[in-house]
């Protein structure tokens, strides 16, 4: 069973930075697309960024591009570097993987099949 485990969340003051990590376990399919999403209570889950393991292509929510950067290592970990954080970035952050044999095309949550449990990010003013 594919599992994703997030870490790196916490509390930070506005203007600070955090780096989130997502370890993907048991994803044995060659082509993989992993994305980061965030959600605040009573709102929908918003796409943040995604990355393909085929060619390192990246996809961003345009409103966040420039402050957030997605990357991955050669193993099974995907990172989200978040800089210049704002109070409105406060949310639960989730990583997710698309279904096997599908292409990485963006951060539409409907295309993601496997989800982690989330890590909380709180930004104080």
């Amino acid at each position: 069973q594919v599992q994703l485990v997030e870490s790196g969340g916490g509390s930070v003051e506005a203007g600070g930075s955090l780096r989130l990590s997502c370890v993907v376990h048991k994803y044995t399919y060659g082509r993989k697309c992993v994305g980061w999403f965030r959600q605040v209570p009573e709102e929908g889950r918003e796409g943040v960024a995604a990355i393909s393991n085929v060619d390192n292509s990246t996809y961003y929510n345009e409103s966040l591009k420039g402050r957030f950067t997605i990357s991955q290592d050669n193993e099974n970990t995907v990172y989200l570097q978040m800089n210049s954080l704002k109070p409105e970035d406060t949310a639960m952050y989730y990583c997710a993987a698309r279904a096997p044999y599908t292409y990485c095309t963006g951060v539409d949550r409907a295309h993601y099949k496997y989800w982690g449990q989330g890590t909380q990010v709180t930004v104080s003013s």
Side-chain angles (χ1 to χ4, degrees):
Q1 179 71 16
V2 176
Q3 289 185 320
L4 295 93
V5 180
E6 304 97 334
S7 62
S11 297
V12 64
E13 292 185 353
S17 298
L18 282 174
R19 188 175 82 155
L20 307 183
S21 298
C22 171
V23 180
V24 184
H25 298 280
K26 299 183 180 179
Y27 195 98
T28 58
Y29 315 100
R31 187 164 61 228
K32 181 173 63 182
C33 177
V34 176
W36 283 98
F37 298 80
R38 66 185 187 181
Q39 187 171 20
V40 298
E42 301 182 356
E43 293 188 15
R45 199 164 289 187
E46 176 186 38
V48 176
I51 189 165
S52 166
N53 75 331
V54 174
D55 57 4
N56 270 334
S57 296
T58 56
Y59 306 83
Y60 288 93
N61 180 328
E62 288 300 314
S63 69
L64 301 173
K65 191 174 183 180
R67 295 194 298 121
F68 289 16
T69 303
I70 192 170
S71 62
Q72 61 190 346
D73 64 13
N74 292 327
E75 300 296 329
N76 297 315
T77 304
V78 175
Y79 304 98
L80 184 69
Q81 178 67 43
M82 306 186 295
N83 299 326
S84 303
L85 283 163
K86 304 175 182 180
E88 51 264 42
D89 294 318
T90 294
M92 184 71 80
Y93 283 72
Y94 299 88
C95 66
R98 285 188 63 140
Y101 313 117
T102 61
Y103 289 93
C104 205
T105 58
V107 290
D108 182 347
R109 63 163 294 184
H111 296 143
Y112 289 77
K113 179 176 181 178
Y114 307 103
W115 291 84
Q117 294 300 306
T119 185
Q120 177 68 37
V121 171
T122 302
V123 184
S124 59
S125 58

